[in-house]
Amino acid sequence: MDRTTFRRLGLGLALIWLAFCLFPLWWVLVTAFKPPSAVSGGATYIPFVDFQPTWQAFRDAFSGVRGDFAGPIFSSLAVSLVSTALAVFLGAMAAYALVRFEFRIRLLAGLVFGVLSIGGFALLNQGAGLSVPQSLGLVMLIALPVAIWLNGRNLPGPVLGNDDVTFWFVSQRMFPPIVSAFALFLLYAEMNKAGVRLLDSFPGLVAAYTAFGLPFAVWLMRDFFANVPVEVEEAAMVDNIGRMRIFFQIVLPMSKPGLVATSMIVLAFIWNEFLFALLLTSSKWQTLPILMAGQNSSRGDEWWAISVAALISIIPMIAVAIFLGRMMRSGFLAGSIK
Amino acid sequence: MKNLMLATALVPIAGLASAACAPDYSGVTLTVSTQNGPFIASALKTAADSWQEKTCGTVEIVEFPFSELYPKFLTAMSQQTGDFDVIGFIPAWAPDFAPFLSTMPAEMQQGPAWEDIHPVYRERLMSWGGEVKSATMDGDMHMLNYRADLFEDEGNKAAFKEQYGYDLAAPVTWDQYYDIAQFFTASDAVDFGTAEAYRRGGQQFWYFFSHAASYTNNPNTPGAMFFDPETMDAQINNPGWLKALEDYKRGLEFNPPGALNNGSGDVRPLYSGGTVAMNIDWADSGVLGATEGAIAGNVRTAVLPGATEIWNSETESWDSFDSPVASPFLAFGGWQLAVPGDSRNSEAAWSYVAEVTSPEVSGQAIVTANTGVNPYRLSHYENLDNWSAIFTPAEAKSYLTAQRASLDADNVALDLRLPGFFSYTEVLEIELSKAIAGQVEPQEALDAIAAEWNKLTDEFGRDNQLAAYRAAMGLD
Amino acid sequence: MSQTPQPDRVKYAFIFPAFLLVLTITLFPLIYALVVSFQTIRIVPPVPPKFVGFDNYAEILASARFWGSIQVTAVIVFVSVALQYVLGFALALTLHHNVPGASLYRVSFLLPMFLAPVSVALIARMLFHPVLGPVNEFFTLFGLENLPFLTSPSFAIATLITVEIWQWTPFVVLLMLAGLQGLPSEVFEAARVDNISAWRRFRDLTFPMLLPLSVAVVFIRVIEGFKIIDTVFVLTGGGPGTSTETLTLFAYNEGFKKFNIGMTSALSFLFLIVVILFGTLYLAAAQRMIRRYQ
């Protein structure tokens, strides 16, 4: 089959998908303007033709009757952008290390860490009655150095490599969030009692969300970095340029499409995260997803209110999508710089 | 923090134009939390405005989705984070929350405002474990809502009488209810006969309970509706409950399509939009119909239908009564306000609670659209003029009389309140949804629920659960 | 993957910030969950915790509800991810070759992914309403009125799969497009000069080169997909009965409604094992495929 046929097929597919993809969004846009009668009578599609549009739903939303929108919008923006930036930054660094260097973790050392940390924590917390933050802190201070020291020794047993380290990162995402959210809440509550305010606070949220986004960043950037030709770096190393500089000034710019894509993914996930936001925030830093969930009110699907809320929560993301989308287009050129 | 308090304290003193703050809570910020607005939250906001003016304190309202309220409050209170000063929650959660709530100050438990609260709400819902732990801010029960235009239409009346042999009026038994539903489903006057909630997670079980109360809440055996009041054995698989389940399932014939996925929120617009002739719902349907629906002027409310035969769990037979016995079910009970024990501003918090539930503020709330506050004070029922803002006189009369009659009824049925409420209702919802979808036989479903309930009771401690159940049913 | 022979200490500088942050945030939850899974802990009613060893695990493994939820989740995930991958890759190719209107597509195709799952679920609930929704109108045109989209188990699962595809295909599109843009163009120029057909170019060049990325993308979609909850919760509540109850919804009800923390932790670990099992099998198969192509 020749190129034109493919292009026609591609165009066809794109158009069908466009319709499928945009119809619900069109529906949301239109429904936000519907008066209740335009909903209870059956499906209506075109304003002014099928029904008379009204601003009532918007008025309700902005009057605060359905909940304050301004606060959550700000919280969501602040927390998401900062956490995404941090996650992608730290994650890219980690991914680079996993692609260009070799890590050797002895399984035994890892197991020792596991046993020390779990056992130590149980002992300190339930046996000696130390508070949670104290036990945790002590355990980390002791178990981690011990494990690292052991790793240097020549222990028997299998050796885990880079792939396994990556798998460890990603496995953090496999654990269903229910208990981790509750446990993290407990940890933060205990820290609160110890005087460090983490609940309903910016640092607490950002720390949790960065940790939340890191697995994506590591996993995805690893593949993008792998596609960056290594000769460029080797040439730079011959010139005795430090690794850090190579990373920041050569590798990162060359993987721009990947960085942009990863950032968008991480941002989308953090922006829409619900469970941790529910437990870790209260009055000051409540984020948008909680507000969204509340639109499912017991008054029955007030479709217009739901639509307005959905629109409000998606507009910042549209802005981000356009901005990053532009970067992606130009990234095509940057990616093949030699 | 101190400087801020000082500064805010100085403001009212400096601004002599403002009235004195009585009692003075300047510098105090209360965090009040409940479900997402506008229901309940808007009432709390209005009361916040008036409280802030009176006392110079500040109120911050935080809202959460209804389904997340329980975990959010429980986790915050059990860890004593001090996040919330006042919480708005439902009585079914009171047994689980009670250990973490502070008791109402003694001054609030007396006086005209206290006496004005209807005894059923006051005695039954506001206390747990012998102490008053919360204040009712809303009265809830299931009602039968119907449309005056359809029921009073001469043509309909004649046709109905011809077909069924008795006058068309608000049904007093469930059999009548289904006759009427059948009639209107077949009729051209309206699309369908009735609307009820059937969806798992859509508060379906309260609708089921409303049916069941009529067949199991026997005046001869008080408190035996859900469990045996002596042994705590589950009663939910007795023949009374079976009849209720069969009825409830039968209603699907007369509901609009997709009823299996209707939650309580879907039932309201169906009635107020004119799609159905009746519905079973809380009082919100009536208010919705009168304010935003297509049936303004035709809203009528009646006490839930009853039955002439009620199951007696002691004699294990059906008791017959000469006239239908109504067992109005106080579904949901009505939103409560409480002050968590870990609140750092408990005095101010209770003062705010007093403001929200005061006769003046609540009297306004019940007639304001979208507050979700339904009557619970004697004064609410007595003042008919108050309602003219939303109801025609005929509507107001029917609305208030029905609610008052339900509360005053001899055989009023109280809602289930037990520690571990969700564990009991989860299996109920699952088996119930299976039964009405036709995946299992009704008796099988009920037996499964009973078995699981007994297991849970044992796991939680039979004696504790028995004591709690007896208290909730008003037996002790 | 390239490696350097010198023992660079700088590699630790690269990886430790990420490693420490993740460890600090996730260590306590892991320990807590593990310890608690061997006890019966309920917050309500406040029963003192009892050590019960593996009883929680045994009870879950014996319950039909657990296996049912695995089945439901697996069906939804595997069908929807397969379709997401095929569709997403095809769309990425289309965008890459600059079909007319590409810049419009680029932004609009991404939008579904940016909506919160709960918003998408609410919108889907509107769309699939059996009486008032547009999807019903669409099917009525074909004579199929008032289909039980959300109330019959098989329809409900199909609806859930459709919603998942709608929301997450953009994820695949985004990443595959970035991958396509990172491919060296000389290879394709050479192939075009040699007059190799478009299909063969795809099969022998594009697909193998993007295979590692494809594996990664599908893997993430599967792992995330296993955690589906909002959509199910809003659309069906897990019903009728438990026929659309997914693993996370099951865990959510146990943990946040019944506050049966011990059982929920055990369930979470079993869930983790299930996902790791699927994940490892998948990765092993994928590695073999990669090796075959390279």
Side-chain angles (χ1 to χ4, degrees):
Chain A
M1 284 206 268
D2 71 332
R3 203 148 161 224
T4 348
T5 327
F6 260 128
R7 291 200 68 168
R8 282 213 201 96
L9 273 177
L11 184 62
L13 178 66
L15 286 174
I16 295 178
W17 180 259
L18 189 70
F20 179 64
C21 170
L22 287 185
F23 176 70
L25 296 170
W26 163 254
W27 178 262
V28 169
L29 183 63
V30 162
T31 308
F33 291 97
K34 285 184 189 167
S37 52
V39 166
S40 46
T44 51
Y45 301 93
I46 310 174
F48 297 112
V49 173
D50 288 337
F51 65 91
Q52 276 303 114
T54 159
W55 286 99
Q56 188 57 42
F58 286 92
R59 267 183 244 134
D60 284 343
F62 287 112
S63 69
V65 147
R66 301 202 64 95
D68 173 32
F69 274 90
I73 290 181
F74 174 73
S75 305
S76 274
L77 275 172
V79 171
S80 305
L81 289 173
V82 173
S83 310
T84 303
L86 262 179
V88 174
F89 178 64
L90 295 178
M93 280 173 48
Y96 179 73
L98 286 167
V99 166
R100 293 284 182 251
F101 299 104
E102 192 186 338
F103 287 91
R104 301 169 65 83
I105 318 275
R106 297 186 191 282
L107 186 59
L108 213 51
L111 282 175
V112 166
F113 176 75
V115 169
L116 269 181
S117 53
I118 299 174
F121 182 83
L123 255 170
L124 287 172
N125 184 238
Q126 306 198 324
L130 284 176
S131 80
V132 168
Q134 289 168 334
S135 322
L136 190 64
L138 269 175
V139 153
M140 289 264 283
L141 278 173
I142 299 177
L144 200 53
V146 166
I148 294 178
W149 171 78
L150 268 178
N151 206 26
R153 310 271 140 253
N154 227 327
L155 290 174
V159 176
L160 305 169
N162 290 26
D163 280 342
D164 302 294
V165 175
T166 318
F167 193 77
W168 176 81
F169 269 108
V170 182
S171 68
Q172 302 307 318
R173 296 287 309 159
M174 294 191 208
F175 202 64
I178 312 292
V179 184
S180 353
F182 182 67
L184 197 60
F185 168 79
L186 286 181
L187 177 63
Y188 278 18
E190 294 287 335
M191 297 287 284
N192 257 30
K193 288 188 205 153
V196 178
R197 179 151 195 101
L198 284 181
L199 270 185
D200 205 19
S201 73
F202 188 69
L205 267 183
V206 169
Y209 276 141
T210 310
F212 179 87
L214 269 170
F216 288 117
V218 171
W219 182 254
L220 290 171
M221 287 315 297
R222 218 175 51 126
D223 284 293
F224 289 117
F225 284 148
N227 277 333
V228 171
V230 82
E231 300 83 38
V232 186
E233 292 177 58
E234 283 172 354
M237 279 195 292
V238 163
D239 290 346
N240 254 323
I241 303 181
R243 274 285 171 169
M244 278 283 180
R245 274 190 65 195
I246 296 179
F247 177 68
F248 283 105
Q249 292 180 346
I250 301 179
V251 179
L252 275 187
M254 280 178 79
S255 16
K256 219 158 154 200
L259 268 179
V260 169
T262 308
S263 302
M264 286 215 255
I265 302 277
V266 175
L267 182 64
F269 273 101
I270 295 182
W271 180 262
N272 293 326
E273 202 286 323
F274 176 76
L275 207 54
F276 283 84
L278 176 71
L279 283 182
L280 301 180
T281 65
S282 208
S283 45
K284 297 193 194 58
W285 285 96
Q286 196 178 85
T287 55
L288 269 180
I290 302 176
L291 188 63
M292 276 310 306
Q295 301 306 311
N296 186 14
S297 77
S298 59
R299 192 168 165 169
D301 300 341
E302 291 185 301
W303 294 6
W304 48 95
I306 294 174
S307 305
V308 171
L311 280 177
I312 292 179
S313 71
I314 200 185
I315 285 173
M317 298 315 282
I318 294 183
V320 172
I322 295 179
F323 174 67
L324 290 175
R326 281 216 200 100
M327 281 178 70
M328 276 198 68
R329 215 153 36 118
S330 59
F332 177 51
L333 305 164
S336 41
I337 288 177
K338 265 291 183 191
Chain B
M1 190 57 197
K2 270 225 184 97
N3 286 330
L4 187 62
M5 282 181 67
L6 217 64
T8 9
L10 285 173
V11 166
I13 299 177
L16 285 168
S18 60
C21 308
D24 194 348
Y25 289 122
S26 21
V28 171
T29 307
L30 291 180
T31 310
V32 176
S33 180
T34 188
Q35 67 166 0
N36 281 87
F39 293 108
I40 307 298
S42 59
L44 291 178
K45 278 199 193 101
T46 321
D49 292 335
S50 60
W51 186 82
Q52 282 173 147
E53 245 189 77
K54 277 194 197 150
T55 67
C56 311
T58 351
V59 173
E60 229 184 82
I61 310 234
V62 181
E63 299 167 20
F64 296 100
F66 174 72
S67 47
E68 311 310 325
L69 273 185
Y70 180 82
K72 185 68 192 163
F73 288 161
L74 194 60
T75 50
M77 292 195 296
S78 66
Q79 287 304 305
Q80 305 188 306
T81 57
D83 273 337
F84 305 114
D85 294 302
V86 178
I87 55 173
F89 65 102
I90 67 175
W93 305 341
D96 293 331
F97 284 1
F100 305 110
L101 297 174
S102 62
T103 312
M104 181 186 274
E107 320 83 66
M108 274 177 77
Q109 293 183 36
Q110 58 199 29
W114 177 254
E115 303 296 326
D116 188 35
I117 306 176
H118 194 288
V120 171
Y121 290 123
R122 195 177 62 218
E123 311 306 326
R124 297 274 63 85
L125 292 180
M126 287 168 50
S127 35
W128 188 261
E131 295 192 354
V132 178
K133 291 281 186 183
S134 61
T136 302
M137 66 162 287
D138 163 44
D140 275 325
M141 67 193 83
H142 263 181
M143 322 287 312
L144 176 84
N145 301 298
Y146 65 99
R147 283 174 51 180
D149 54 339
L150 291 174
F151 277 63
E152 283 162 19
D153 174 86
E154 291 305 325
N156 286 341
K157 280 161 86 167
F160 186 81
K161 181 88 185 258
E162 210 189 302
Q163 206 177 340
Y164 295 94
Y166 59 93
D167 288 323
L168 176 62
V172 294
T173 67
W174 288 103
D175 290 329
Q176 287 184 0
Y177 170 78
Y178 287 115
D179 283 342
I180 299 178
Q182 188 181 47
F183 174 73
F184 279 114
T185 308
S187 146
D188 290 328
V190 72
D191 293 333
F192 295 95
T194 183
E196 292 182 43
Y198 289 92
R199 184 166 162 252
R200 178 185 161 189
Q203 305 174 327
Q204 67 181 158
F205 58 85
W206 274 300
Y207 288 76
F208 179 45
F209 288 169
S210 290
H211 284 262
S214 311
Y215 296 116
T216 61
N217 190 37
N218 196 324
N220 299 330
T221 58
M225 182 174 162
F226 297 98
F227 292 94
D228 183 310
E230 305 301 325
T231 65
M232 201 61 189
D233 281 328
Q235 278 293 316
I236 196 166
N237 53 349
N238 71 30
W241 282 93
L242 181 62
K243 176 103 174 64
L245 183 51
E246 283 164 356
D247 269 2
Y248 181 54
K249 194 170 160 186
R250 191 177 162 216
L252 284 171
E253 274 174 59
F254 314 118
N255 265 266
L260 279 176
N261 206 276
N262 280 344
S264 64
D266 302 298
V267 160
R268 270 153 231 169
L270 285 172
Y271 170 71
S272 68
T275 316
V276 296
M278 308 183 278
N279 79 357
I280 305 280
D281 190 25
W282 288 280
D284 307 85
S285 275
V287 176
L288 190 64
T291 52
E292 286 183 24
I295 59 170
N298 287 313
V299 170
R300 295 290 182 274
T301 321
V303 175
L304 281 177
T308 48
E309 298 215 327
I310 307 185
W311 179 256
N312 185 319
S313 57
E314 267 173 41
T315 65
E316 296 201 350
S317 60
W318 290 92
D319 286 344
S320 277
F321 297 84
D322 298 320
S323 51
V325 174
S327 309
F329 183 62
L330 297 190
F332 207 78
W335 286 83
Q336 305 283 311
L337 289 176
V339 176
D342 54 319
S343 155
R344 288 184 263 270
N345 301 303
S346 86
E347 209 187 289
W350 279 112
S351 143
Y352 173 73
V353 170
E355 177 73 13
V356 179
T357 59
S358 66
E360 307 78 46
V361 175
S362 58
Q364 253 328 99
I366 52 180
V367 289
T368 315
N370 292 338
T371 55
V373 177
N374 298 314
Y376 59 95
R377 287 180 171 283
L378 301 170
S379 53
H380 292 166
Y381 298 108
E382 278 142 25
N383 189 349
L384 278 174
D385 296 326
N386 203 12
W387 294 88
S388 55
I390 44 175
F391 284 141
T392 64
E395 284 176 332
K397 184 149 173 282
S398 124
Y399 183 77
L400 293 172
T401 327
Q403 291 194 21
R404 187 71 194 266
S406 301
L407 284 175
D408 290 338
D410 293 325
N411 206 32
V412 66
L414 295 170
D415 199 0
L416 179 65
R417 289 203 297 159
L418 277 180
F421 178 74
F422 278 110
S423 302
Y424 288 92
T425 54
E426 195 200 29
V427 65
L428 172 64
E429 284 199 287
I430 291 176
E431 294 298 323
L432 192 59
S433 60
K434 277 197 228 166
I436 51 185
Q439 286 177 359
V440 297
E441 290 302 305
Q443 185 68 56
E444 233 184 282
L446 292 175
D447 288 335
I449 300 172
E452 181 68 21
W453 278 17
N454 286 330
K455 193 161 153 257
L456 285 168
T457 304
D458 285 326
E459 213 181 307
F460 295 157
R462 193 161 277 253
D463 294 327
N464 283 340
Q465 297 298 91
L466 182 59
Y469 177 65
R470 290 183 67 91
M473 289 287 123
L475 290 176
D476 289 337
Chain C
M1 279 189 284
S2 54
Q3 297 167 10
T4 50
Q6 332 119 274
D8 272 85
R9 298 287 292 270
V10 73
K11 69 182 176 185
Y12 294 112
F14 273 103
I15 202 168
F16 256 74
F19 173 67
L20 279 176
L21 182 59
V22 174
L23 189 67
T24 321
I25 297 288
T26 59
L27 184 62
F28 173 72
L30 191 67
I31 297 179
Y32 177 79
L34 194 60
V35 167
V36 152
S37 70
F38 294 113
Q39 306 175 325
T40 54
I41 289 192
R42 282 180 185 272
I43 300 202
V44 282
V47 180
K50 247 187 328 167
F51 181 76
V52 288
F54 282 97
D55 278 358
N56 285 335
Y57 289 95
E59 199 177 322
I60 295 175
L61 285 172
S63 83
R65 195 167 164 198
F66 172 66
W67 296 107
S69 62
I70 292 188
Q71 194 190 346
V72 169
T73 317
V75 165
I76 295 179
V77 168
F78 288 125
V79 173
S80 64
V81 173
L83 287 170
Q84 283 168 38
Y85 178 67
V86 169
L87 269 173
F89 204 169
L91 285 167
L93 281 169
T94 313
L95 289 183
H96 186 60
H97 287 112
N98 282 318
V99 288
S103 37
L104 166 66
Y105 303 150
R106 234 183 284 273
V107 173
S108 51
F109 283 6
L110 293 179
L111 288 181
M113 186 175 78
F114 284 138
L115 279 169
V118 84
S119 309
V120 174
L122 288 172
I123 295 171
R125 204 168 140 73
M126 281 196 268
L127 291 171
F128 282 98
H129 194 281
V131 177
L132 303 173
V135 178
N136 173 54
E137 287 216 348
F138 177 71
F139 277 97
T140 312
L141 288 175
F142 296 103
L144 298 164
E145 272 195 6
N146 298 332
L147 288 176
F149 295 115
L150 300 176
T151 47
S152 134
S154 31
F155 271 98
I157 293 192
T159 311
L160 289 169
I161 292 178
T162 313
V163 175
E164 283 288 287
I165 293 177
W166 185 82
Q167 180 161 32
W168 295 113
T169 306
F171 179 91
V172 179
V173 172
L174 181 62
L175 289 170
M176 298 313 286
L177 186 57
L180 282 169
Q181 288 181 339
L183 290 180
S185 50
E186 317 75 53
V187 185
F188 290 95
E189 293 305 329
R192 236 167 266 147
V193 163
D194 287 348
N195 255 326
I196 300 181
S197 79
W199 170 247
R200 277 200 61 204
R201 278 208 306 274
F202 174 76
R203 196 192 66 181
D204 296 332
L205 290 176
T206 321
F207 185 69
M209 283 202 275
L210 284 180
L211 202 49
L213 182 63
S214 301
V215 168
V217 169
V218 171
F219 188 60
I220 290 197
R221 279 309 324 137
V222 168
I223 293 184
E224 291 301 315
F226 260 94
K227 296 192 276 188
I228 178 176
I229 176 175
D230 296 299
T231 327
V232 184
F233 183 75
V234 169
L235 285 174
T236 62
T242 53
S243 43
T244 57
E245 193 176 65
T246 56
L247 269 171
T248 314
L249 185 59
F250 182 24
Y252 174 80
N253 280 332
E254 284 293 317
F256 275 171
K257 291 296 161 82
K258 298 154 82 171
F259 274 94
N260 195 351
I261 301 289
M263 189 72 80
T264 315
S265 299
L267 184 60
S268 305
F269 276 106
L270 285 173
F271 183 120
L272 179 66
I273 293 176
V274 167
V275 177
I276 290 186
L277 258 170
F278 277 118
T280 329
L281 284 171
Y282 167 80
L283 283 177
Q287 291 300 347
R288 251 189 300 147
M289 217 168 50
I290 293 182
R291 242 160 267 158
R292 201 155 48 100
Y293 269 93
Q294 291 176 343

